[in-house]
Amino acid sequence: MPIIDVAVPVPLRQTFSYTSEQKLRPGVRVSVPFGRRQLIGVVTASYDDPVDDTESEVKLKAVTEVLDEQPLFDATLQALTQWLATYYHHPIGEVWATVMPTRLRKGGALSDSVPALTLTEAGQAEAQTPTLRGKKQLECIALLAQGPLASEEIKTKFSNVVLKALEEKALTTQTSIRLTEKQDWASFSLQQTPPTASTEQGVAIAAINQQASHFVPFLLDGVTGSGKTEVYLQVIEPVLKQGRQVLILVPEIGLTPQTVGRFERRFGISVGVLHSQMTDLARVKVWQQARRGELGIIIGTRSAIFTPLKRPGMIIVDEEHDESFKQQDGLRYHARDLAVKRAHTENVPLILGSATPSLESLNNALNKRYTHLTLSQRAGGASHTQLKVLDSRDQPLHAGIAQGLISIMRSHLQQGNQVLVFLNRRGFAPAVLCHHCGQTVDCKSCERPFTYHKSQGRLQCHHCGASRRMPEQCSECHSHDLQTSGIGTEQLEQGLGQLFPDIKQVRIDSDAVKGKDKLITRLDEINARKYQLLVGTQILSKGHHFPHVTLVVVLDCDGALFSADFRAAEKLAQLITQLAGRAGRASKPGEMWLQTDNPGHPLLQDLINNGFAHFARQALQERKLGALPPYSSQAIFRAEAGEAGLAANLLQQIRDCYRPSVNAAKGQFIGPLPCLIEKRQGRFRYMLVLQSQQRAALHSWLKHHLQEVEALPLASKVRWSLDIDPVDLS
DNA sequence: AGCACGCCGACT
DNA sequence: GTCGGCGTGCTC
């Protein structure tokens, strides 16, 4: 009887063998007995029993059910899945579970249609002139009036009672909706005349178009507002014309609708969208359509890199420096790196676009592994934002802003322009402390100060999300004299309200734009000039352009200047550059002020005087001298446990496992060290960094000793993980 | 990771 | 006398 190897979703670095009626193709899902449960796994290999030894077959269980006729993935994506398991040293079954849409992971069929609910004629009439008294029933009718909806989706919105009532009154009836539909997207015609490309854009477009038939990696290094998206649009066109599909990765920032709209308006074809907030069904629908070649363009966040494509033609990673492309738990893959790998195996061109390229990608461009395309001019002749530092030492501060800056803000506001104030700290104040003994009010499980949120009248821990009410007195000395310390966006907003009482302001941070679509609404209002003063966090630095903003103020750069994380400077420079790019247009040049206590800091000076491109090359030199990434490779073992000693001990033992090989090859250890945030949610976190200037050597050590590590008695007691090419050392 | 088996404390 | 604590061991 044939034997098949199956990758089951368990954290074990092996496959399991089963007997099967017939050989099965790799990539086919099967349901198998595993211990006392039933799991869905994926076939990785299939062969005749080499010894035809019935005794060995006795030990093997039989496959319960074969779920697919066709493999889920083609050979390329299967190879990529295998590569993921090897490169990230991750259990193959968990890798498969990560790369599959949830619905398929749970055993859902690859089908053309699913059961759905639709309105009957009576139902249509009811939707026109409501007569029902049931509020929920009317809501349901109104929803279905827009078209049929999959039963499993409607069940999450309405109770069975409601649905049954409607069906009994013959207002609704069972039907089905198609998950795939033929779309003749390759015969599209442009819906808009493309704008004439600038000289630089033209060069970039020509360079890409000339090499569009095979793998060439491009770094599209273009300042904000230089029209990178227009380059994407123009190089995509010939690819689509050939009937080839384009996969576009974008960061996780809730702005996907805007990008999608732009592509749809240009080509007049529907664009497949994949992001984390979609239902399982909607996601698998796009997945299947892409797999059948029914979509020409697929735009998605990190995990979209696993979308199967029938005729791949190009892969684009927009804002390639963005850290949201790195998964931070489970299989810690980097979607940008994977995009390079995938484009290579699919033999299609790859475009990495950014105004502030990661040092990794920039290095690849400088040493000619990537073709470097530069866009240095802003479209429409907009000038570059002027960067300046403001020395805040010995200056009186109001709401955390130096007097000098307030005057500058006032003059911009008086001219009717918008001003953006950036502060990367939400809440009212980052700490509450006792005026008497100096003790801060800390989160017990993280040992970090609580952030005070005045609007809720509560304290919130930004590390674990814990929340409690504001205490009456100090827990140490029982003094009632508690006061807040430091400034967050909430307080900044309040202070600015006092400084500029007649100016309309809006706050953009994750507290203020919590609801769905709220961010987009606010951003639209900003550009409609409903507000003049914009206060906010990170969110403001991502992807949105504010043409009426002429002044950007950054209040807290000092923290990052002296960080333990060697990437902090790179991140700050990217943030500042991205923020600077938000402002200004042709008729209104922008300026940007960085408020700092370290005006002479070399990083700030370099950025201000020479710009990001120069800063980045400088930073690369420093990385080279320090033998840091991208001039060396890193892997981090992390451990967390209720007792600090346990986590640190495990890492020490892991270090001992690796010591002989690492020392022999002149690799390095850093740690075990407590993580920057040592305690989170009541668990102590430690890390051990392994580093080598030879990537291959590092991977070979990891491979050879991982079994030893797994066999350590502590390894089953302490939660640990391995992070390859880490980007966040916290 | 699950999910069992297994061997010691406070309870209807 | 049992219910249940989580230690340890296995999963084709």
Side-chain angles (χ1 to χ4, degrees):
Chain A
M1 203 182 256
I3 294 177
I4 58 165
D5 290 348
V6 180
V8 284
V10 288
L12 299 171
R13 282 161 231 271
Q14 59 178 282
T15 55
F16 292 83
S17 303
Y18 292 84
T19 58
S20 164
E21 295 291 324
Q22 60 214 332
K23 284 201 194 175
L24 297 171
R25 294 166 69 187
V28 162
R29 288 175 303 159
V30 286
S31 175
V32 292
F34 191 79
R36 12 215 106 193
R37 55 210 169 117
Q38 196 70 27
L39 294 177
I40 291 160
V42 179
V43 177
T44 56
S46 192
Y47 42 90
D48 290 310
D49 190 340
V51 284
D52 208 15
D53 175 357
T54 39
E55 261 184 63
S56 79
E57 277 190 20
V58 168
K59 292 185 216 126
L60 300 184
K61 292 185 183 173
V63 167
T64 312
E65 193 189 349
V66 179
L67 299 176
D68 299 308
E69 285 173 16
Q70 296 287 316
L72 294 183
F73 280 176
D74 60 18
T76 311
L77 270 184
Q78 284 195 49
L80 189 72
T81 306
Q82 184 51 57
W83 181 83
L84 274 165
T86 311
Y87 186 81
Y88 289 102
H89 304 270
H90 203 78
I92 181 72
E94 289 198 334
V95 172
W96 270 102
T98 310
V99 302
M100 266 192 265
T102 318
R103 194 183 154 86
L104 298 181
R105 193 166 71 222
K106 290 180 183 160
L110 269 183
S111 57
D112 288 351
S113 57
V114 291
L117 216 57
T118 189
L119 293 181
T120 58
E121 274 181 33
Q124 299 282 2
E126 178 65 30
Q128 294 291 317
T129 46
T131 58
L132 284 178
R133 278 188 297 144
K135 201 176 150 203
K136 281 282 167 193
Q137 294 184 29
L138 284 173
E139 265 177 46
C140 186
I141 295 262
L143 185 65
L144 287 175
Q146 296 164 22
L149 208 64
S151 307
E152 61 178 85
E153 287 199 336
I154 207 149
K155 276 178 190 155
T156 65
K157 294 187 175 92
F158 298 97
S159 75
N160 266 329
V161 190
V162 175
L163 299 175
K164 220 171 158 187
L166 291 172
E167 194 158 1
E168 273 166 13
K169 290 175 202 155
L171 296 172
T172 63
T173 183
Q174 302 283 337
T175 178
S176 68
I177 50 170
R178 297 193 63 75
L179 283 182
T180 66
E181 50 223 68
K182 270 246 164 334
Q183 280 184 27
D184 200 7
W185 51 267
S187 61
F188 72 92
S189 58
L190 286 186
Q191 303 294 298
Q192 299 169 326
T193 315
T196 310
S198 69
T199 314
E200 286 180 329
Q201 281 175 326
V203 169
I205 292 164
I208 297 167
N209 281 345
Q210 272 165 25
Q211 313 233 41
S213 61
H214 53 275
F215 173 65
V216 184
F218 295 96
L219 175 64
L220 183 59
D221 184 352
V223 300
T224 28
S226 61
K228 285 189 293 294
T229 309
E230 185 55 38
V231 172
Y232 301 153
L233 285 161
Q234 296 201 24
V235 297
I236 283 173
E237 190 190 328
V239 176
L240 292 176
K241 278 260 157 67
Q242 290 174 30
R244 290 169 165 268
Q245 298 166 285
V246 179
L247 177 63
I248 305 173
L249 300 188
V250 295
E252 272 172 4
I253 40 164
L255 290 173
T256 340
Q258 268 90 336
T259 323
V260 172
R262 205 158 158 197
F263 285 87
E264 286 185 333
R265 282 196 301 279
R266 174 68 61 91
F267 300 113
I269 61 176
S270 78
V271 167
V273 181
L274 289 164
H275 58 76
S276 52
Q277 287 166 50
M278 291 168 68
T279 63
D280 289 352
L281 190 69
R283 186 184 284 275
V284 84
K285 179 173 177 177
V286 173
W287 190 92
Q288 278 188 217
Q289 285 183 291
R291 182 173 178 270
R292 289 164 159 255
E294 291 165 354
L295 288 166
I297 303 176
I298 296 97
I299 299 186
T301 49
R302 189 173 59 232
S303 64
I305 190 58
F306 304 122
T307 314
L309 300 172
K310 191 171 184 205
R311 291 202 65 199
M314 179 179 278
I315 302 179
I316 297 174
V317 183
D318 191 27
E319 305 295 350
E320 69 85 28
H321 65 279
D322 197 279
E323 283 200 10
S324 71
F325 289 122
K326 180 86 176 8
Q327 176 128 56
Q328 292 295 6
D329 56 277
L331 172 61
R332 294 166 170 260
Y333 66 92
H334 202 307
R336 179 240 291 142
D337 296 349
L338 232 41
V340 180
K341 183 76 189 165
R342 185 165 178 194
H344 181 76
T345 41
E346 306 267 23
N347 198 26
V348 298
L350 168 81
I351 306 175
L352 303 178
S354 178
T356 53
S358 62
L359 294 186
E360 282 77 6
S361 298
L362 181 64
N363 185 240
N364 283 326
L366 296 178
N367 66 27
K368 310 280 191 234
R369 289 166 53 149
Y370 297 170
T371 303
H372 198 175
L373 303 170
T374 313
L375 306 176
S376 58
Q377 302 299 314
R378 296 182 77 171
S383 54
H384 292 282
T385 302
Q386 282 282 319
L387 255 68
K388 295 162 197 164
V389 286
L390 188 121
D391 186 353
S392 51
R393 291 172 300 182
D394 309 323
Q395 277 228 34
L397 301 180
H398 301 278
I401 309 176
Q403 187 56 52
L405 261 184
I406 292 171
S407 319
I408 299 170
M409 288 173 65
R410 178 163 288 125
S411 89
H412 279 261
L413 290 169
Q414 275 168 356
Q415 287 165 43
N417 294 321
Q418 286 178 334
V419 171
L420 190 164
V421 185
F422 176 87
L423 177 64
N424 216 3
R425 226 181 288 129
R426 62 196 174 84
F428 187 84
V432 174
L433 51 83
C434 171
H435 192 47
H436 187 69
C437 71
Q439 176 66 43
T440 53
V441 184
D442 291 351
C443 168
K444 280 193 292 295
S445 49
C446 304
E447 295 177 3
R448 288 298 189 96
F450 274 112
T451 297
Y452 176 47
H453 286 249
K454 196 175 189 180
S455 57
Q456 311 161 5
R458 292 179 73 83
L459 299 177
Q460 212 186 78
C461 174
H462 285 186
H463 303 292
C464 71
S467 170
R468 58 166 288 185
R469 52 167 248 285
M470 181 77 174
E472 303 268 306
Q473 49 184 223
C474 174
S475 61
E476 294 294 309
C477 73
H478 308 293
S479 157
H480 287 258
D481 197 0
L482 292 179
Q483 43 184 245
T484 63
S485 164
I487 290 175
T489 45
E490 232 182 83
Q491 187 174 169
L492 178 60
E493 181 183 31
Q494 181 184 309
L496 287 170
Q498 286 159 9
L499 283 168
F500 305 106
D502 303 326
I503 300 291
K504 281 218 157 196
Q505 66 168 319
V506 63
R507 175 162 59 95
I508 307 282
D509 57 29
S510 54
D511 298 317
V513 293
K514 217 167 234 158
K516 186 172 161 271
D517 299 337
K518 209 162 172 182
L519 172 64
I520 292 169
T521 314
R522 289 283 170 279
L523 295 172
D524 287 345
E525 287 171 355
I526 291 170
N527 284 347
R529 314 190 76 163
K530 191 169 164 190
Y531 312 102
Q532 225 188 323
L533 194 48
L534 287 42
V535 178
T537 55
Q538 297 261 25
I539 304 180
L540 286 174
S541 70
K542 309 230 168 170
H544 232 268
H545 187 226
F546 303 111
H548 306 296
V549 168
T550 55
L551 171 65
V552 177
V553 173
V554 178
L555 292 183
D556 60 344
C557 1
D558 288 338
L561 294 176
F562 303 100
S563 168
D565 178 356
F566 71 88
R567 267 182 246 264
E570 176 188 0
K571 290 179 195 170
L572 178 66
Q574 283 167 341
L575 177 69
I576 289 173
T577 310
Q578 290 287 345
L579 273 170
R582 304 302 115 207
R585 55 177 174 166
S587 55
K588 287 181 182 175
E591 63 179 321
M592 176 171 193
W593 284 87
L594 310 173
Q595 175 174 302
T596 172
D597 286 340
N598 305 280
H601 194 285
L603 159 62
L604 293 181
Q605 285 303 323
D606 188 22
L607 198 54
I608 285 160
N609 297 322
N610 309 313
F612 183 84
H614 185 272
F615 156 81
R617 283 159 178 78
Q618 255 341 92
L620 272 175
Q621 284 306 309
E622 281 170 34
R623 296 273 182 93
K624 195 170 192 171
L625 289 173
L628 288 164
Y631 300 96
S632 65
S633 295
Q634 291 185 331
I636 298 187
F637 281 97
R638 298 170 207 273
E640 54 176 77
E643 271 174 76
L646 282 181
N649 264 339
L650 172 64
L651 293 179
Q652 189 57 53
Q653 289 173 17
I654 294 177
R655 186 179 157 137
D656 291 340
C657 292
Y658 284 96
R659 192 196 316 273
S661 356
V662 172
N663 287 350
K666 295 210 164 58
Q668 288 172 287
F669 292 109
I670 305 165
L673 296 169
C675 295
L676 283 174
I677 301 159
E678 182 179 358
K679 199 178 173 195
R680 190 159 79 191
Q681 291 184 26
R683 306 177 73 86
F684 289 89
R685 306 156 71 235
Y686 278 74
M687 62 178 188
L688 170 69
V689 183
L690 268 69
Q691 185 175 295
S692 168
Q693 282 170 262
Q694 294 151 283
R695 179 185 296 268
L698 180 78
H699 280 263
S700 120
W701 310 333
L702 288 170
K703 185 180 171 201
H704 286 110
H705 300 287
L706 213 48
Q707 278 201 323
E708 265 173 80
V709 170
E710 284 177 309
L712 291 169
L714 255 186
S716 53
K717 292 198 184 70
V718 175
R719 183 199 290 255
W720 63 277
S721 64
L722 176 57
D723 188 354
I724 306 292
D725 304 333
V727 293
D728 193 357
L729 300 188
S730 68

